[in-house]
Amino acid sequence: MDFDPKKNYYEILWVSEDADEKEIKKAFRKLAMKYHPDRKWWDEEKFKEINEAHEVLSDPKKKQMYDAYRKGGFDFGWMWWGFAWWWANFDVGDIFGDLFWDFFGGARWWRTHSDRPRRWDDLLLNLKVKFEDIYNWAKKKIKYSRYVPCDACNGTWVDPSSNPETCPTCHGQWAVVQTQRTPFGVMQSQTVCPTCHGKWKIWEKACSVCDGKWLKLKEEVIEVNIPQWIDPGTKIKLPWMWHYGYKWGTPGDLYVNIVLDDTSLWKKQWYDIILEKEVPVIDAILWWEMEVEFPDNKKVKVKIPKWLQVWDNIVVSGYGFRKWWSLLSWKWDLIIKPKIKIPKTLSKEEKELYEQIKKLK
């Protein structure tokens, strides 16, 4: 077997299970660059895990078998993966359903297997944030709607004032026997009661709030904390905050994907802060100081280094972000990318001064 079914390769690459080939490739490249041996945050085990996940999910055959294996829930150590794949896609009910139904009480078997509670799928939402939100540990509100059990009937789908009665068709047996004459004789079969639909009882009226569907649409407002250590593309998991599953099945999880607004002059690169700032050409020549105001209104004086060129960066140590896993760790750097500002107009005196400087050269 070319994969480990106990590992969730989708979570390793931070992609959804319906991600296409381009999304998988893009996520792999981003993580591989992050944990590459040439980087100072090189993680050998993580790098191997990322490569393993990409190798499986990028190969259509391996991915198909991996998905089938996971959905089938196998842990029986099959010797032939082809048989495991076939078994994962095999539906016993399609072949033997009629036999179970007719001769072995198949209605009960069918109801207990196909009508059990089921978990709802997960949802991925994109949340666009600004650099200022990350820097200030902002809290963002998300407004959305999801299906939750009806509070009027408590998820029972019937009107609370309604009195249950024993089903007159199946007499509380949930199934009825049908008799048919065939060339081979009289055949009998069991089917789910068409009146109570296998619920043994009937009620006078359904819940008027959820219209007998036991679920209703509810508007939710949740608050998401945006920590400083978060990177664009990071997914924040909010357990059980999506639709409830069938028959009180476990609700799906809500994943919030952080998308950074790139229109700001401030940027985040790992734990460094990148700032594009205009610097007057005369200040750059004379090595003057410039003032940098952070998103929290904190101001810092920065000395322009000698012989600054247009392609140079100004590095100010200790003004970046701190690693999230240790409050005692050092802060990374503020990297200023100067944009040398050349004046569009000059006064007569300024022009004469520049000409004198040129003569000195």
Side-chain angles (χ1 to χ4, degrees):
M1 189 178 296
D2 297 331
F3 58 83
D4 186 352
K6 295 181 180 179
K7 292 183 179 179
N8 191 331
Y9 293 136
Y10 295 102
E11 286 189 359
I12 292 174
L13 294 182
W14 281 105
V15 295
S16 59
E17 295 193 7
D18 57 353
D20 56 22
E21 186 177 349
K22 290 183 178 179
E23 292 175 330
I24 293 173
K25 188 174 183 181
K26 182 178 179 181
F28 166 71
R29 285 182 174 178
K30 180 179 178 181
L31 293 173
M33 184 177 294
K34 179 176 180 180
Y35 296 104
H36 195 271
D38 294 338
R39 301 281 183 175
K40 57 186 176 183
W41 38 82
W42 152 245
D43 187 330
E44 182 178 3
E45 294 300 323
K46 189 69 176 178
F47 190 72
K48 289 181 180 179
E49 193 176 47
I50 292 168
N51 277 283
E52 179 185 345
H54 177 256
E55 184 179 349
V56 174
L57 298 184
S58 61
D59 188 317
K61 291 184 178 179
K62 291 182 181 179
K63 183 176 183 295
Q64 184 181 25
M65 180 189 168
Y66 172 71
D67 289 340
Y69 204 99
R70 289 180 68 241
K71 292 176 182 178
F74 301 105
D75 195 16
F76 308 125
W78 299 106
M79 295 179 62
W80 300 283
W81 64 264
F83 178 71
W85 180 89
W86 171 81
W87 185 262
N89 292 273
F90 175 69
D91 188 356
V92 178
D94 290 343
I95 307 298
F96 301 108
D98 291 338
L99 295 178
F100 280 125
W101 197 277
D102 293 341
F103 301 108
F104 302 106
R108 183 180 299 275
W109 181 90
W110 184 268
R111 182 177 59 83
T112 56
H113 285 70
S114 64
D115 204 36
R116 62 176 179 259
R118 292 189 290 272
R119 183 183 183 276
W120 197 273
D121 293 334
D122 299 331
L123 176 69
L124 180 66
L125 287 178
N126 290 326
L127 177 62
K128 198 168 187 178
V129 299
K130 298 180 180 179
F131 175 87
E132 290 77 5
D133 297 328
I134 296 177
Y135 189 87
N136 293 316
W137 294 72
K139 295 181 179 180
K140 306 289 287 186
K141 290 185 177 180
I142 298 179
K143 186 177 181 180
Y144 69 104
S145 297
R146 67 169 182 148
Y147 282 105
V148 298
C150 175
D151 50 9
C153 65
N154 198 26
T156 60
W157 66 263
V158 298
D159 192 298
S161 62
S162 179
N163 296 319
E165 298 179 355
T166 302
C167 177
T169 304
C170 66
H171 304 289
Q173 299 299 315
W174 63 262
V176 293
V177 178
Q178 293 182 343
T179 303
Q180 291 181 327
R181 291 185 177 275
T182 68
F184 303 100
V186 178
M187 302 291 292
Q188 288 186 338
S189 63
Q190 273 189 332
T191 60
V192 176
C193 176
T195 304
C196 67
H197 303 287
K199 295 182 175 63
W200 301 288
K201 298 179 180 180
I202 59 174
W203 285 261
E204 296 176 357
K205 55 183 179 179
C207 176
S208 58
V209 177
C210 64
D211 198 24
K213 298 176 182 177
W214 80 270
L215 289 173
K216 72 172 186 176
L217 202 60
K218 180 184 178 183
E219 189 176 85
E220 298 275 10
V221 178
I222 56 175
E223 196 171 62
V224 181
N225 295 320
I226 311 296
Q228 282 187 346
W229 53 262
I230 203 164
D231 288 322
T234 300
K235 298 173 180 63
I236 300 175
K237 181 180 179 180
L238 302 174
W240 308 329
M241 290 305 295
W242 190 221
H243 296 319
Y244 270 75
Y246 176 71
K247 278 199 168 183
W248 284 86
T250 306
D253 298 332
L254 182 65
Y255 288 88
V256 179
N257 181 39
I258 301 300
V259 180
L260 187 61
D261 186 356
D262 56 2
T263 59
S264 174
L265 294 177
W266 298 88
K267 300 289 188 296
K268 183 177 186 290
Q269 182 176 354
W270 305 115
Y271 297 99
D272 290 331
I273 296 177
I274 313 297
L275 172 64
E276 293 183 359
K277 184 172 179 62
E278 287 188 348
V279 178
V281 64
I282 190 67
D283 292 359
I285 293 172
L286 298 177
W287 319 323
W288 283 10
E289 284 186 342
M290 60 179 173
E291 188 176 74
V292 176
E293 184 176 353
F294 286 85
D296 60 355
N297 299 323
K298 179 182 178 181
K299 296 180 181 179
V300 176
K301 295 284 187 179
V302 178
K303 178 70 175 178
I304 299 176
K306 295 181 179 180
W307 326 124
L308 180 70
Q309 302 297 318
V310 293
W311 54 80
D312 290 340
N313 292 333
I314 303 173
V315 179
V316 186
S317 300
Y319 283 92
F321 291 117
R322 194 187 303 275
K323 286 187 177 181
W324 68 270
W325 57 81
S326 176
L327 296 177
L328 300 178
S329 65
W330 69 91
K331 283 189 175 182
W332 286 39
D333 302 331
L334 166 65
I335 302 175
I336 301 174
K337 295 186 175 182
K339 299 173 68 176
I340 305 300
K341 183 180 180 182
I342 301 191
K344 294 182 179 180
T345 58
L346 292 174
S347 65
K348 184 178 179 181
E349 292 79 6
E350 289 174 334
K351 184 177 181 182
E352 289 175 354
L353 290 172
Y354 275 112
E355 288 174 349
Q356 291 178 19
I357 294 173
K358 182 175 178 61
K359 289 178 182 180
L360 292 175
K361 290 291 184 178

